[in-house]
């Protein structure tokens, strides 16, 4: 601990002129940081009577010194013993008259002090040093007690250690751990609502699906933190989650939140001006503190967590960062609610589109007598209810987690919307292929009528030639064609493999490829049924050509006969 003791004569006419340099330089630079302690010592006649004036000067100075005083890192004390005061005053002026930067030991042992005053130094100096040490010890005790009151939480307990080990093992990264702590904090705002929400997600196994998984598309994952938050088999919060809730309840004190509020604009690095800070924010882009608090540290955070040691320090840092996050959420409630509402409407639109895609697939399934397309039209219902349960919770923190994107973590809604969209687009591609294949089947079915009409036309053309040809009965030929054609179509529809869109481990594409192959084989067989008609058509064409030649010869002979008669 570095201790800064600043003596000030209480009888000074301009106390502020003596006190301000210490406040604006030393305290402003090093205040609100760990292992620093500051003490202003007023001495002189009636020193204690000027304490209020000194405190007023501090309260009207720059924010670092002001907040340092509020949390007892900076204190104001007075030396009221008259003779000790007199000695201190004489000693101070002796130092000022010699070299104020010279160590005290060199001053009192040098030739600056008259021999008759050495006995006073030998008597009063140890008393002065003892008084200062006592005052510093009392100040240090008050400061430590105040830090403990600011952040009143015991992190060296079995429950906390178990929670931390689980988080380090299963959650791993700081950002996701912070979301776990925020989720726990949100549950303290609406215990029943959040419990219902988490229970529903676990019961419907939404957390076990890919819909809350991150990675692809740059979206964040939430499956792990939800899994370790609620136990289905016990129908209650997990022990680690309960521990996190208790920690938040005990540590998020009004005095801590007020301190974080009032020191938010104080730069963490010494020597950084407001202008420098503004420039750095501009360079960082448009992100707000609400979006970047995962990685943005306030100056006072290190001080508050400095009371912890070892592994508990990391736990304290994460817990304090989560508390600061809840502070920012509450301070920006309008922004959070507005963004949440926008994301809620966006994911509701995506769910509606998914409903439409599933309904379209179901309509195709109805085109078959037996099950050829298996689809769950209620697949989107759990996500619709999830959104409704979030909307019904009375927790702004939960709305933030579910409906507000951060710089390093997308919201639950954004993650869910992205994955639902990927699933819907896959369904759309499969459904489009089903559309095309069904159109091919319908084309094969309608072709039968065209072939029948072609057959009837050939019979009429044959009759028109006047040639006697031994051909099958027209009605029998037509009936046989229609029966054979229908059998092929029925067999095709029957043998098509089932496409199961409810099986997440299945492969609809492989089944669609089988459909394509079987339709192609059926087409070949149907074309073989058309071959006799084509041959029949060729025969009729030849007969018609022969008839045309015969008529041509007859016409020629008639013309010749007519010419001969004229002669």
């Amino acid at each position: 601990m570095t201790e800064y003791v600043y003596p000030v004569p209480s009888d000074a006419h301009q106390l502020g002129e003596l006190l301000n340099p210490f406040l604006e330089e030393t305290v402003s630079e090093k205040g609100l940081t760990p292992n620093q302690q500051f003490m202003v010592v007023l001495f002189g006649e009636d020193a204690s009577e000027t304490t209020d004036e000194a405190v007023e000067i501090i309260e009207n100075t720059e924010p670092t010194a002001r907040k340092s005083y509020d949390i007892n890192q900076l204190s104001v004390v007075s030396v009221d013993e008259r003779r000790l005061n007199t000695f201190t005053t004489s000693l101070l002026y002796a130092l000022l008259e010699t070299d104020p930067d010279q160590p005290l030991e060199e001053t009192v042992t040098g030739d600056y002090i008259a021999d008759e005053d050495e006995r006073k130094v030998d008597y009063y100096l140890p008393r002065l040093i003892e008084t200062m040490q006592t005052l510093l010890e009392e100040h240090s005790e008050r400061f430590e007690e105040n830090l403990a009151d600011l952040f009143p939480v015991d992190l060296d307990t079995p429950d906390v250690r178990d929670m931390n080990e689980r988080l380090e093992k299963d959650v791993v990264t700081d950002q996701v751990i912070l979301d776990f702590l925020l989720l726990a904090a949100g549950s303290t705002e609406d215990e029943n609502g959040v419990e219902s929400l988490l229970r529903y997600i676990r019961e419907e196994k939404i957390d076990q699906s890919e819909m809350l998984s991150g990675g692809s598309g740059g979206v964040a994952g939430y499956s792990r933190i939800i899994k370790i938050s609620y136990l289905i088999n016990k129908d209650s919060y997990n022990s680690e989650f309960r521990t996190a809730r208790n920690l938040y309840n005990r540590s998020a004190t009004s005095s801590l939140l007020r301190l974080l509020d009032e020191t938010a604009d104080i730069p963490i690095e010494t020597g950084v001006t407001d202008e420098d800070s503004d420039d750095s924010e501009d360079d960082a882009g448009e992100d707000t503190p609400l979006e970047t608090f995962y990685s943005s540290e306030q100056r006072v955070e290190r001080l508050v967590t400095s009371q912890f040691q070892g592994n508990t320090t990391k736990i304290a840092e994460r817990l304090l960062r989560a508390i600061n996050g809840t502070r920012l959420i509450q301070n920006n409630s309008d922004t959070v609610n507005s963004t949440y509402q926008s994301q809620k409407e966006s994911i509701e639109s995506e769910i509606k589109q998914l409903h439409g895609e599933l309904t379209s697939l179901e309509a195709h399934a109805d085109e078959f007598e037996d099950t050829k397309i298996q689809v769950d039209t209620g697949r989107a219902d759990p996500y619709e209810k999830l959104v409704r349960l979030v909307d019904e919770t009375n927790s702004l923190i939960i709305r933030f987690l579910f409906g507000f994107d951060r710089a390093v973590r997308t919201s639950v809604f954004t993650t869910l919307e992205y994955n639902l969209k990927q699933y819907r687009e896959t369904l759309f591609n499969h459904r489009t292929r089903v559309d095309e294949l069904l159109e091919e089947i319908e084309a094969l079915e309608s072709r039968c009528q065209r072939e029948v009409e072609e057959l009837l036309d050939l019979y009429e053309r044959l009759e028109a030639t006047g040639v006697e040809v031994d051909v099958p009965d027209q009605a029998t030929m037509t009936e046989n064609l229609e029966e054979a054609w229908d059998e092929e179509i029925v067999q095709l529809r029957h043998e098509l493999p089932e496409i199961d869109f409810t099986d997440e481990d299945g492969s609809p594409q492989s089944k669609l490829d089988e459909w394509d192959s079987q339709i192609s084989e059926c087409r070949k067989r149907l074309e073989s049924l058309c071959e006799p008609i084509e041959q029949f058509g060729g025969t009729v064409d030849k007969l018609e050509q022969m008839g045309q030649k015969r008529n041509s010869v007859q016409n020629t002979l008639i013309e010749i006969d007519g010419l001969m008669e004229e002669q």
Side-chain angles (χ1 to χ4, degrees):
M1 178 74 73
T2 302
E3 299 163 337
Y4 297 87
V5 179
Y6 189 71
V8 178
S10 61
D11 58 353
H13 296 294
Q14 298 294 333
L15 186 62
E17 292 182 2
L18 295 176
L19 189 54
N20 283 332
F22 176 66
L23 299 176
E24 294 173 358
E25 296 172 10
T26 304
V27 181
S28 176
E29 180 182 356
K30 302 180 183 298
L32 302 179
T33 62
N35 303 316
Q36 309 290 331
Q37 189 172 317
F38 313 93
M39 188 167 70
V40 174
V41 181
L42 300 172
F43 62 90
E45 188 174 355
D46 299 325
S48 60
E49 295 181 5
T50 60
T51 300
D52 290 344
E53 181 182 354
V55 171
E56 184 178 355
I57 292 171
I58 293 173
E59 290 178 343
N60 289 286
T61 189
E62 58 85 39
T64 303
R66 186 168 63 250
K67 294 313 299 180
S68 295
Y69 177 77
D70 288 346
I71 63 174
N72 282 327
Q73 187 179 29
L74 167 65
S75 66
V76 178
V77 297
S78 61
V79 177
D80 291 321
E81 186 179 343
R82 185 179 61 80
R83 291 185 177 181
L84 191 58
N85 254 321
T86 302
F87 169 76
T88 305
T89 304
S90 301
L91 179 60
L92 178 61
Y93 283 117
L95 292 172
L96 294 175
E97 289 174 358
T98 56
D99 184 356
D101 295 325
Q102 181 174 265
L104 175 63
E105 292 81 1
E106 294 183 15
T107 300
V108 297
T109 57
D111 296 331
Y112 309 104
I113 300 177
D115 292 341
E116 61 270 17
D117 292 330
E118 288 185 2
R119 286 190 299 275
K120 293 180 181 179
V121 172
D122 291 341
Y123 176 74
Y124 284 108
L125 184 58
R127 290 183 61 192
L128 178 60
I129 293 173
E130 181 181 356
T131 298
M132 292 299 101
Q133 288 176 338
T134 300
L135 290 173
L136 283 170
E137 289 173 0
E138 292 174 352
H139 176 204
S140 181
E141 289 178 4
R142 289 195 303 272
F143 181 39
E144 290 176 1
E145 289 174 358
N146 195 72
L147 282 181
D149 290 340
L150 271 174
F151 201 36
V153 61
D154 184 5
L155 301 179
D156 192 18
T157 66
D159 287 346
V160 176
R161 286 194 295 270
D162 289 345
M163 179 198 73
N164 191 55
E165 289 176 5
R166 178 75 182 275
L167 293 176
E168 293 280 357
K169 177 184 176 182
D170 294 343
V171 180
V172 183
T173 62
D174 281 344
Q175 292 92 341
V176 187
I177 291 175
L178 284 173
D179 276 351
F180 174 82
L181 295 175
L182 287 176
L183 184 61
S187 71
T188 66
E189 294 182 319
D190 182 3
E191 182 172 359
N192 292 334
V194 176
E195 187 172 0
S196 297
L197 171 63
L198 294 178
R199 182 192 302 117
Y200 183 76
I201 294 174
R202 294 301 319 278
E203 285 177 346
E204 294 296 323
K205 299 181 179 179
I206 299 174
D207 60 311
Q208 297 179 28
S209 69
E210 296 181 354
M211 293 305 170
L212 293 183
S213 298
S216 62
V219 297
Y222 288 88
S223 297
R224 287 177 294 172
I225 64 173
I226 291 177
K227 180 180 180 181
I228 65 173
S229 298
Y230 194 86
L231 294 174
I232 287 294
N233 56 348
K234 294 185 178 180
D235 195 21
S236 65
Y237 289 135
N238 197 346
S239 60
E240 289 85 0
F241 192 76
R242 291 197 303 272
T243 298
R245 295 179 75 248
N246 293 334
L247 288 176
Y248 177 79
N249 271 328
R250 291 199 300 268
S251 59
T253 61
S254 58
S255 55
L256 175 60
L257 292 170
R258 185 168 57 252
L259 175 64
L260 290 169
D261 252 338
E262 295 174 352
T263 59
D265 296 329
I266 297 176
I268 188 170
E269 296 181 2
T270 58
V272 177
T273 65
D274 291 340
E275 183 178 352
D276 295 332
S277 178
D278 291 340
D279 289 342
S280 63
E281 287 179 6
D282 290 340
D283 293 340
E286 299 297 328
D287 292 337
T288 65
L290 191 61
E291 297 167 312
T292 61
F293 78 88
Y294 287 91
S295 55
S296 299
E297 181 183 23
Q298 286 189 206
R299 183 172 180 174
V300 76
E301 288 184 43
R302 296 181 187 180
L303 174 62
V304 174
T305 58
S306 64
Q307 59 185 299
F308 301 95
Q309 304 296 324
N311 291 334
T312 59
T313 302
K314 189 64 177 177
I315 303 172
E317 290 171 350
R318 288 168 173 163
L319 180 58
L320 182 58
R321 188 65 55 82
I323 291 172
N324 197 27
T326 64
R327 176 190 69 84
L328 289 166
I329 292 168
Q330 298 297 338
N331 288 354
N332 296 274
S333 59
D334 289 345
T335 301
V336 172
N337 279 321
S338 174
T339 304
Y340 164 81
Q341 190 64 31
S342 176
Q343 290 201 5
K344 170 176 168 284
E345 292 172 0
S346 180
I347 192 173
E348 285 176 337
S349 174
E350 181 58 44
I351 292 171
K352 183 177 180 180
Q353 292 181 69
L354 178 57
H355 269 303
E357 202 61 55
L358 293 167
T359 302
S360 296
L361 278 172
E362 183 186 37
H364 287 325
D366 293 339
E367 296 182 26
F368 296 89
E369 293 183 359
D370 47 0
T371 303
K372 293 301 176 184
I373 298 177
Q374 186 75 18
V375 58
D376 179 12
T377 55
R379 174 68 186 274
D381 293 347
Y383 311 115
E384 192 172 21
K385 184 173 180 180
L386 184 153
V387 174
R388 187 171 69 253
L389 287 173
V390 173
D391 205 46
E392 291 173 353
T393 60
N394 189 26
S395 169
L396 189 63
I397 299 173
I398 295 301
R399 290 192 168 204
F400 174 81
L401 273 176
F402 278 76
F404 194 100
D405 290 330
R406 286 83 76 195
V408 294
R409 295 275 292 168
T410 57
S411 69
V412 178
F413 282 173
T414 296
T415 295
L416 181 58
E417 181 179 347
Y418 173 83
N419 290 323
L420 286 176
K421 183 178 180 181
Q422 294 295 107
Y423 174 64
R424 177 179 59 81
E425 289 179 346
T426 300
L427 281 182
F428 171 79
N429 292 334
H430 290 328
R431 196 257 304 162
T432 300
R433 186 61 182 138
V434 171
D435 287 345
E436 295 169 350
L437 294 172
L438 288 177
E439 286 176 1
E440 291 185 29
I441 294 175
E442 291 172 359
L444 292 178
E445 290 175 329
S446 62
R447 182 177 173 182
C448 179
Q449 184 59 35
R450 294 198 302 275
E451 295 297 332
V452 169
E453 291 174 355
E454 174 68 15
L455 185 60
L456 294 175
D457 181 64
L458 289 174
Y459 271 99
E460 291 178 359
R461 288 168 57 194
L462 177 61
E463 183 178 356
T465 63
V467 179
E468 293 292 334
V469 180
D470 187 14
V471 294
D473 178 66
Q474 173 183 315
T476 303
M477 185 78 167
T478 302
E479 183 179 348
N480 289 341
L481 175 62
E482 291 176 335
E483 288 180 357
W485 201 284
D486 288 343
E487 287 177 3
E488 287 292 345
I489 296 298
V490 169
Q491 181 180 356
L492 170 63
R493 285 179 169 274
H494 177 71
E495 293 181 353
L496 287 175
E498 178 183 335
I499 305 176
D500 190 354
F501 288 101
T502 65
D503 184 5
E504 295 184 1
D505 297 325
S507 175
Q509 186 58 51
S510 64
K511 299 298 182 182
L512 288 169
D513 291 341
E514 290 184 42
W515 275 38
D516 186 48
S517 176
Q518 292 195 21
I519 291 172
S520 296
E521 292 297 323
C522 180
R523 183 182 294 107
K524 291 178 182 179
R525 293 192 299 271
L526 291 175
E527 287 175 351
S528 68
L529 295 178
C530 298
E531 289 178 2
I533 299 175
E534 293 176 1
Q535 294 172 359
F536 185 25
T539 300
V540 172
D541 288 342
K542 290 179 181 180
L543 291 174
E544 287 177 336
Q545 292 173 4
M546 292 173 61
Q548 291 172 358
K549 289 180 180 180
R550 182 188 61 195
N551 292 336
S552 177
V553 170
Q554 287 178 344
N555 290 334
T556 302
L557 291 174
I558 291 172
E559 290 178 2
I560 294 172
D561 184 57
L563 291 173
M564 291 178 67
E565 289 180 355
E566 291 177 359
Q567 294 178 353

